[in-house]
Amino acid sequence: MKNGMAECSVCRSRLVSPSSKAISRAYDNYNYKIRVSSKQRALNVFLVVGDCMLVGLQPVLVYMSKVDGKFNFSPISVNFLTEIAKVIFAMVMLLFQAARNNMLLAVPAGLYAINNYLKFTMQLYFNPATVKMLSNLKVLVIAVLLKMIMKRRFSIIQWEALALLLIGISINQLRSLPEGATTVAVPIATGAYICTFIFVTVPSLASVYNEYALKSQYDTSIYLQNLFLYGYGAIFNFLGILGTVIYKGPGSFDILQGHSRATMFLILNNAAQGILSSFFFKYADTILKKYSSTVATIFTGIASAALFGHILTMNFLLGISIVFISMHQFFSPLSKAKDEQQNGNIELVDAKDGHRAKDSFINMAAGATEEASHRIESDDRVPLLPR
């Protein structure tokens, strides 16, 4: 740097080096802008008043904490607890700030709270086999919601694959019905139709909206997103507990009443399923989650036959075949052949445009070089003036 000029070591261009006067002038301008801001002026007043009160109160509190002229506590413990209090404040404010960016997760949390309650309510109207068969309708509902909310496109082959999945699961679950029995355990009332409609649409909407919320903030850590998702879910369920207490009385507030070892395992299993599902929604999609759950049911049937000697019925074998055909059909490259062809055409057009842009860039560079050469030749013909 010479004479207040900084020279670049690569391009040899010269820039004016910022002097101390320039920095001071910029700082004065910044302070001037702050002074004309009413919000900043109010903040400064608040900071000064608060600092005066707290700093002035600190020695008074130290004096009041003495007993017989000495401290009965360790000053180090006071400093440690002080830092812990500041850490808690920082964490709370960080959570509040992050919560503003994850408000979308409150929607699927509320829907999941309703769905988890409906899982038990449906057992009052239907037997378990019927509940499972009705839950199969979620496949098509999820696909429709994915198309509406996330603008996802499915080919005709993929729609047919989803229909095959619905048929395959239904045939598979028919094996649990005794011969001559009906699928409905009790006469279907109006409440049963309402619960069935909610039981099919609410969890489907929750899954799709959860995927939308998680992927809309894809750069955010999934653990932070899960913290808010499960936190919102806990709040909604706690509100449900308070509503039960108001309706039934304070005696129903004991949330551990009637629980057993089986319910504890049920809670752990449900928690593990929810955590795993969040990774599906974040890094995969809801359709893959549905196929995964279906294959898990098939593995359960095969394991039961191998370990406990249960008989694999013809319905089970037919259901397995249809499910695997559906899975192969849905994820097959043939189901996306049309889209890939369109993408190939787009890539071809982009490649042609790239070549054209490259050619034009080369022509521009060549023209610039010729012009620069012409200027150099002209400069050589001009006599240099003495400095």
Side-chain angles (χ1 to χ4, degrees):
M1 182 177 66
K2 296 181 180 180
N3 299 326
M5 301 291 292
E7 183 177 358
C8 179
S9 61
V10 179
C11 62
R12 299 301 178 183
S13 60
R14 293 184 177 183
L15 299 174
V16 179
S17 176
S19 62
S20 59
K21 293 183 178 180
I23 297 176
S24 177
R25 191 181 304 111
Y27 188 77
D28 293 339
N29 292 334
Y30 175 72
N31 286 336
Y32 174 76
K33 292 179 181 179
I34 290 179
R35 285 196 297 269
V36 300
S37 174
S38 59
K39 293 183 179 180
Q40 189 65 38
R41 187 186 304 113
L43 177 61
N44 290 340
V45 172
F46 174 77
L47 292 176
V48 171
V49 173
D51 185 67
C52 290
M53 293 179 60
L54 295 177
V55 173
L57 188 61
Q58 195 265 348
V60 177
L61 294 176
V62 172
Y63 179 81
M64 294 175 59
S65 62
K66 293 192 297 183
V67 178
D68 297 331
K70 61 180 181 180
F71 299 115
N72 292 335
F73 56 88
S74 172
I76 299 178
S77 65
V78 173
N79 296 332
F80 173 74
L81 295 176
T82 299
E83 298 302 323
I84 293 297
K86 291 189 288 185
V87 168
I88 294 175
F89 169 78
M91 292 178 62
V92 170
M93 297 307 297
L94 181 62
L95 290 176
F96 273 112
Q97 184 180 11
R100 297 171 59 184
N101 299 328
N102 293 276
M103 287 298 296
L104 288 177
L105 294 173
V107 177
L111 296 175
Y112 279 132
I114 299 174
N115 174 61
N116 294 333
Y117 177 75
L118 286 175
K119 290 180 180 179
F120 297 93
T121 306
M122 287 291 291
Q123 301 288 340
L124 300 176
Y125 294 99
F126 305 100
N127 57 36
T130 306
V131 173
K132 289 182 179 180
M133 294 185 66
L134 291 174
S135 66
N136 298 338
L137 298 174
K138 299 176 185 177
V139 178
L140 298 179
V141 177
I142 287 174
V144 173
L145 292 175
L146 283 174
K147 184 176 179 62
M148 294 174 58
I149 296 177
M150 302 189 68
K151 308 302 180 182
R152 182 171 176 180
R153 295 185 300 173
F154 298 101
S155 63
I156 297 178
I157 298 178
Q158 288 178 322
W159 284 110
E160 293 174 350
L162 294 176
L164 283 178
L165 178 63
L166 174 61
I167 296 172
I169 300 175
S170 301
I171 293 176
N172 176 27
Q173 292 170 352
L174 285 174
R175 75 186 190 280
S176 60
L177 294 177
E179 185 176 356
T182 60
T183 57
V184 182
V186 296
I188 300 179
T190 304
Y193 286 111
I194 297 175
C195 286
T196 301
F197 176 76
I198 299 176
F199 178 71
V200 173
T201 56
V202 168
S204 303
L205 183 60
S207 299
V208 174
Y209 206 91
N210 191 16
E211 180 180 350
Y212 172 77
L214 291 175
K215 290 181 176 178
S216 63
Q217 300 288 336
Y218 195 80
D219 294 334
T220 305
S221 172
I222 187 174
Y223 304 109
L224 181 63
Q225 291 177 317
N226 283 342
L227 175 64
F228 289 103
L229 176 63
Y230 306 147
Y232 291 137
I235 292 174
F236 285 121
N237 283 279
F238 183 73
L239 293 177
I241 293 176
L242 291 181
T244 304
V245 171
I246 296 175
Y247 180 73
K248 294 185 178 180
S252 60
F253 189 74
D254 187 7
I255 60 176
L256 298 179
Q257 181 181 3
H259 285 268
S260 61
R261 184 179 301 176
T263 59
M264 294 296 105
F265 282 111
L266 175 63
I267 293 172
L268 294 176
N269 181 270
N270 291 343
Q273 286 188 48
I275 295 172
L276 188 62
S277 297
S278 65
F279 284 89
F280 267 100
F281 300 143
K282 176 81 170 183
Y283 301 110
D285 56 52
T286 313
I287 298 294
L288 182 61
K289 174 65 174 66
K290 191 62 181 177
Y291 273 104
S292 176
S293 301
T294 305
V295 174
T297 304
I298 294 173
F299 284 157
T300 301
I302 297 175
S304 299
L307 298 176
F308 308 113
H310 294 171
I311 300 176
L312 297 179
T313 63
M314 183 58 65
N315 289 340
F316 180 78
L317 297 177
L318 290 175
I320 288 179
S321 303
I322 297 175
V323 166
F324 280 110
I325 292 173
S326 169
M327 183 180 300
H328 177 269
Q329 185 173 349
F330 187 87
F331 296 103
S332 173
L334 296 177
S335 63
K336 304 176 183 179
K338 185 176 180 180
D339 293 337
E340 290 180 356
Q341 185 178 0
Q342 292 177 353
N343 294 335
N345 294 334
I346 294 175
E347 292 176 358
L348 182 60
V349 172
D350 292 339
K352 292 181 179 179
D353 293 340
H355 286 302
R356 293 174 183 173
K358 184 177 180 180
D359 294 339
S360 61
F361 176 78
I362 293 174
N363 295 333
M364 291 173 61
T369 305
E370 293 176 359
E371 183 179 357
S373 301
H374 179 69
R375 288 181 178 178
I376 293 174
E377 292 176 357
S378 300
D379 293 340
D380 290 340
R381 293 192 297 268
V382 178
L384 297 176
L385 299 176
R387 295 181 180 178

